Amino acid sequence: MKDLYSFHESEKDLFRYYDQVKEAYFKVFQNCGLKTIYTLAAGGPFTISNTHEFQVLADVGEDKIFVCSKCGYAENSEISDLKGGDSCSKCGGKVEEKKSIEVGNIFPLGTKYSEAFGLNFTSEDGSKKAVVMGSYGIGIGRLMAAIVEIHNDKNGIIWPESVAPFRVHLIALDGKNKEAREIYDDLQKNGTEVLYDDREDQSPGEKFADADLIGCPIRLVVSEKTLSKDSTEIKKRNKTETKLVKLKDLLNEIKN
């Protein structure tokens, strides 16, 4: 988990910050290539009100939520009296039942833990008051799994560039490891993360299949054929077409 805690003098200040974290989390998930639904969830003895989850719609999801198709208001089924086909209480739109994956949540803790540990502050009037707390979390493993569930095809993963483990998957064919290594070094020196496949006991087809399975955004192939044209073959993982790029233009092509 990526955990965050906040400490406040009042519930008003807590919920001001709570809304800021909400917007920040939306941006985090968007940058990870995910559309999340802000979902009302059950509170508990450690919270002062309902909590909220960030849910990603997915057929394999283990959660069930009810979400308005018009305004996006959503409730977790564990707390909800809604059912599919109901009218949304916020806008009158149609409520739909969906499966989803929870990738983050935020909790208004209040003073439960600060009172238990004697965590106080001195207010402006000189009195001692319990600190009001909030808790916020992103499940890193769940987030990665959700990205893979959303971004894939029959051949494997299609990592969004913002979170790909490597930007480039470089493949050497026809024993052209020396030439491929030079390209690898140039890309590394220019800040591009590269996964280099220099295996000599695998066929081109096996290497291409592994590249699709791993899912780096860009595949580069260095072979006798490409080098005869002073080029390398480039293919984006989310596209079907390939093209040859001159070696002298490769860095600019990768940056774009």
Side-chain angles (χ1 to χ4, degrees):
M1 289 292 292
K2 192 289 303 172
D3 287 329
L4 168 69
Y5 294 90
S6 63
F7 305 87
H8 309 269
E9 64 176 1
S10 66
E11 289 186 10
K12 179 180 179 180
D13 189 55
L14 163 64
F15 284 109
R16 175 195 61 79
Y17 187 75
Y18 195 87
D19 284 340
Q20 290 180 338
V21 174
K22 167 189 171 182
E23 295 305 318
Y25 273 24
F26 273 133
K27 292 178 182 178
V28 168
F29 297 128
Q30 182 179 8
N31 288 340
C32 291
L34 296 175
K35 179 181 179 180
T36 52
I37 297 174
Y38 191 61
T39 304
L40 188 70
F46 55 90
T47 64
I48 56 176
S49 65
N50 288 101
T51 64
H52 292 87
E53 300 166 343
F54 294 82
Q55 297 276 2
V56 177
L57 297 184
D59 291 338
V60 298
E62 60 185 13
D63 282 353
K64 183 170 68 176
I65 64 174
F66 294 103
V67 56
C68 175
S69 60
K70 184 177 180 180
C71 72
Y73 175 75
E75 295 182 1
N76 191 300
S77 63
E78 294 180 355
I79 64 151
S80 183
D81 293 326
L82 293 172
K83 60 183 184 295
D86 283 352
S87 295
C88 174
S89 61
K90 305 296 182 182
C91 72
K94 182 181 178 181
V95 171
E96 298 176 339
E97 179 182 322
K98 298 287 187 179
K99 288 185 177 180
S100 60
I101 302 170
E102 180 188 349
V103 293
N105 46 44
I106 53 181
F107 302 88
L109 298 178
T111 59
K112 179 179 177 63
Y113 293 106
S114 55
E115 289 175 351
F117 286 98
L119 178 60
N120 301 313
F121 70 98
T122 302
S123 66
E124 291 182 352
D125 63 11
S127 62
K128 295 286 187 181
K129 293 184 178 179
V131 173
V132 181
M133 296 175 58
S135 175
Y136 321 84
I138 293 176
I140 303 302
R142 280 176 163 270
L143 178 58
M144 181 180 291
I147 293 169
V148 172
E149 289 291 349
I150 299 302
H151 296 279
N152 69 81
D153 61 15
K154 62 183 178 63
N155 297 318
I157 305 169
I158 306 175
W159 287 109
E161 289 204 16
S162 58
V163 291
F166 300 91
R167 186 150 191 262
V168 171
H169 192 135
L170 175 63
I171 296 175
L173 300 180
D174 306 322
K176 299 302 181 181
N177 290 10
K178 178 178 179 294
E179 295 84 349
R181 181 71 196 201
E182 292 175 357
I183 293 173
Y184 172 82
D185 290 339
D186 285 343
L187 291 173
Q188 290 279 81
K189 289 175 183 177
N190 284 272
T192 300
E193 294 179 317
V194 185
L195 177 62
Y196 178 29
D197 185 351
D198 61 350
R199 295 175 296 173
E200 297 181 356
D201 59 345
Q202 301 291 321
S203 69
E206 289 172 319
K207 289 189 174 186
F208 295 158
D210 286 345
D212 281 344
L213 182 65
I214 294 169
C216 298
I218 298 172
R219 187 190 77 191
L220 294 181
V221 177
V222 179
S223 67
E224 185 174 344
K225 180 180 178 180
T226 68
L227 291 174
S228 69
K229 299 181 180 180
D230 197 30
S231 301
T232 182
E233 180 189 273
I234 187 168
K235 176 185 178 297
K236 292 190 175 182
R237 178 62 182 86
N238 61 353
K239 304 290 184 181
T240 57
E241 65 272 11
T242 63
K243 67 176 181 179
L244 290 179
V245 175
K246 293 294 184 182
L247 294 175
K248 64 181 179 63
D249 299 325
L250 182 58
L251 290 177
N252 286 334
E253 181 74 21
I254 293 296
K255 290 179 180 178
N256 296 328

